[in-house]
Amino acid sequence: MNYGISITLPDDFDAAMPKVIEALAEQGFGVLTEIDMATTLKKKLDVQIAPHVILGACNPPLAYRAVQAEESIGLLLPCNVVVRSGDGGTVVEALDPQVMVGVTGNEELTGVADEASTRLRAALQSLQAQ
């Protein structure tokens, strides 16, 4: 099952992070949280992984429309955007919003998923154009 949208940037992690946040903002997504997986796993398990951050990105109008259509949709909102070091650059991944429709079977979410997908894909494509 393909559930994500993914690109790889030639930039190193530190250069890519602000670009990702800016690209999301240009599409109406604010970053509400940042979970630094590398730091957390080092602290909690004393293990090393490459830089890996989960951004909690939200587009409030889309989130509101989704909650109106499906009260428990917060479990599936495409809020997580992962930025992680990969071979030859930085990988940027987002949950494909169409997953919301597929999992719930709620066709009322189709418009929200379509718009969220368009905006996330535009954000990622703008990063590749830089």
Side-chain angles (χ1 to χ4, degrees):
M1 177 180 176
N2 188 7
Y3 56 89
I5 304 165
S6 178
I7 62 166
T8 300
L9 302 175
D11 304 333
D12 70 14
F13 180 84
D14 290 330
M17 276 293 290
K19 291 179 181 180
V20 171
I21 292 169
E22 183 179 332
L24 289 168
E26 288 172 1
Q27 292 298 321
F29 293 92
V31 174
L32 306 177
T33 60
E34 285 188 32
I35 300 169
D36 185 333
M37 292 290 291
T39 299
T40 299
L41 293 176
K42 178 64 178 164
K43 182 178 176 182
K44 299 291 184 180
L45 302 176
D46 196 28
V47 297
Q48 295 272 140
I49 66 168
H52 188 131
V53 171
I54 302 169
L55 301 174
C58 180
N59 181 304
L62 292 177
Y64 178 71
R65 285 173 45 203
V67 169
Q68 296 304 299
E70 182 82 31
E71 202 169 0
S72 295
I73 201 60
L75 295 165
L76 297 173
L77 284 177
C79 295
N80 288 338
V81 175
V82 174
V83 182
R84 61 182 174 82
S85 286
D87 291 335
T90 300
V91 178
V92 182
E93 302 171 303
L95 179 69
D96 184 343
Q98 299 302 327
V99 169
M100 294 186 305
V101 180
V103 169
T104 64
N106 184 340
E107 293 299 319
E108 290 182 56
L109 292 169
T110 300
V112 174
D114 289 347
E115 186 173 342
S117 181
T118 297
R119 289 174 178 269
L120 284 171
R121 289 178 193 282
L124 297 184
Q125 288 171 352
S126 76
L127 289 166
Q128 287 185 309
Q130 293 181 8

